[in-house]
Amino acid sequence: MQTLTRIASAGSVATAIAFGPARIGFGLFLPQFREAFSISTGAAGLISSLSFATFFLALGCSYKLIARAGPRVPIVIGMIAATLGLSAVAAAPNTVVLAIGICLASASAGFSWTPFNNAAQRVLYERDRPGALSVISSGTAVGVLLAGLLALSLSFFGYGWRLVWAVFAAGAAGAALANLLALSDTVEPAGDAPPRKWRELLTRSAIPLYLVAFSFGVTNGIYVTFVADRVAEQGGLAGLPSRASGAIVFAAYGAFGLLGLVTARLKSLLGLSWLLRLLNIGAALSIAVIAWAPTSWAGVIVSAGLQGIFVMMISAVLSLWSERLFPDLSSLSFTAALLITGAGNIVGPALAGAASSAFGAVPMFFCAAAIALATALVLTPGIIREKALPTTSD
């Protein structure tokens, strides 16, 4: 098998697992988990934030592992974590084991996100890298879509949610083996970046990048945690059981997310500032619609579609933008942006769960929408730069 096909295929499978069931599975199946384990809204927010915390820690570990052992090691570790975590959820007898499984599974996304950029840079020609990375990134949307369809199938075939999670675990085990074999020529360590390199990321021109990353982490963390539960609690979509309706959200989320493949083209057409503003306005509408019309088929599809586009395009923008700001530190700057996204993921669901318990779901969702809208308003063309100014540490 050609190196390009081998890397792209194995990478897309790993991304599908890590950012599909391992990352959004808790929110997707929250209605079922509530019923099985009597989980409160506040506890759900805490579990979600803890899972995002393991994602955050895994990002840092991944960077260190790439430096010490090359990209194959963190990717395979991530898939093993996904296998163990998804298996633990499938067999969970109580909330504690469920939470441990969710956290282990979520760590897989942190371990396996950035190493593929490094792997592509090592073994692929420059002309082949954009295509390979596009295929790998599309695994996110495919993984979410397939997870949503499997969740939806529960209503039609009558098997339990534990079987679906066992299928997820088997897929993760297959992805671990595939990447162990596919990345055999990427085992050389990359070397640690000295502290000076990290300080070079502290520039005024990078503040908007970090603001977008944090806002994205907060709002999307809230959305993926509570959207399925919001739809189910309000009675679901007409013609479907209430617990199955959340699956429609994530199926649409994944399907529309495939439009993220045209991000670079849209950036060239609209410019970075307008693309970011439109994406954040779309995110605000997405969250507001699910708060206002959670039982409308049209509303749910529009909400999920806008959120899927937002997630995939913002993820691509963070990569493109960090590379333009710091062309000599592209991997390091992207890792920094992802760590800030992870921090937002941790903060958002925990606060949202507490706010929902205290004030209700609608005010909580509208506050999340306001964060995305405020981000759009702040991102004026005058503050968006694609080249770094001198560092503040100089």
Side-chain angles (χ1 to χ4, degrees):
M1 185 185 293
Q2 291 185 347
T3 301
L4 173 61
T5 304
R6 176 165 48 88
I7 297 292
S9 300
S12 63
V13 171
T15 306
I17 292 293
F19 290 91
R23 187 157 168 87
I24 58 90
F26 178 68
L28 174 59
F29 283 85
L30 183 55
Q32 287 88 346
F33 294 154
R34 274 186 180 277
E35 182 177 314
F37 303 107
S38 301
I39 299 173
S40 68
T41 301
L46 180 59
I47 291 171
S48 183
S49 287
L50 287 173
S51 73
F52 286 128
T54 61
F55 164 76
F56 179 89
L57 293 173
L59 275 171
C61 291
S62 177
Y63 177 77
K64 283 292 185 181
L65 286 169
I66 294 170
R68 304 291 172 84
R72 181 170 73 160
V73 170
I75 292 169
V76 173
I77 287 175
M79 291 302 97
I80 292 172
T83 304
L84 295 175
L86 295 169
S87 298
V89 173
N94 53 49
T95 307
V96 173
V97 176
L98 174 74
I100 292 171
I102 293 295
C103 289
L104 266 176
S106 183
S108 67
F111 278 115
S112 59
W113 192 342
T114 56
F116 281 111
N117 286 36
N118 186 277
Q121 191 172 34
R122 286 167 179 251
V123 300
L124 298 180
Y125 293 113
E126 186 174 355
R127 68 176 184 272
D128 293 330
R129 289 174 200 155
L133 291 174
S134 292
V135 172
I136 291 168
S137 66
S138 70
T140 298
V142 172
V144 175
L145 172 61
L146 292 178
L149 292 176
L150 274 173
L152 184 62
S153 71
L154 293 177
S155 301
F156 298 101
F157 298 103
Y159 45 78
W161 60 265
R162 293 181 186 274
L163 178 60
V164 175
W165 282 77
V167 171
F168 291 159
L177 179 60
N179 280 275
L180 181 67
L181 299 175
L183 301 176
S184 57
D185 48 358
T186 63
V187 295
E188 291 298 322
D192 282 309
R196 180 181 60 81
K197 296 294 186 181
W198 284 99
R199 290 197 298 270
E200 288 180 17
L201 303 179
L202 302 176
T203 70
R204 291 192 304 275
S205 51
I207 292 174
L209 168 68
Y210 303 147
L211 170 65
V212 169
F214 186 74
S215 174
F216 165 45
V218 170
T219 58
N220 183 249
I222 291 171
Y223 189 91
V224 299
T225 300
F226 295 110
V227 62
D229 197 49
R230 169 67 177 161
V231 175
E233 281 196 327
Q234 296 303 304
L237 299 171
L240 286 178
S242 61
R243 291 185 304 167
S245 298
I248 296 295
V249 177
F250 283 97
Y253 178 111
F256 280 89
L258 290 170
L259 292 173
L261 294 173
V262 302
T263 303
R265 190 174 303 174
L266 281 178
K267 178 180 173 292
S268 298
L269 181 65
L270 299 173
L272 180 59
S273 177
W274 273 106
L275 177 59
L276 287 168
R277 296 175 86 182
L278 290 173
L279 288 174
N280 277 280
I281 289 170
L285 287 173
S286 167
I287 300 168
V289 166
I290 211 66
W292 188 257
T295 59
S296 162
W297 273 90
V300 164
I301 296 297
V302 167
S303 171
L306 287 172
Q307 190 69 203
I309 292 169
F310 169 67
V311 170
M312 290 299 296
M313 288 196 175
I314 284 289
S315 298
V317 165
L318 291 179
S319 177
L320 296 169
W321 192 4
S322 60
E323 185 177 12
R324 289 297 301 275
L325 278 172
F326 304 101
D328 296 329
L329 300 170
S330 56
S331 295
L332 191 64
S333 59
F334 186 41
T335 298
L338 296 182
L339 286 170
I340 293 171
T341 299
N345 287 155
I346 295 168
V347 171
L351 292 180
S356 183
S357 296
F359 306 108
V362 172
M364 179 272 286
F365 275 113
F366 276 120
C367 284
I371 293 171
L373 183 59
T375 304
L377 295 176
V378 167
L379 295 173
T380 59
I383 74 164
I384 299 294
R385 296 180 182 274
E386 294 188 57
K387 292 184 178 180
L389 296 172
T391 64
T392 57
S393 59
D394 289 343

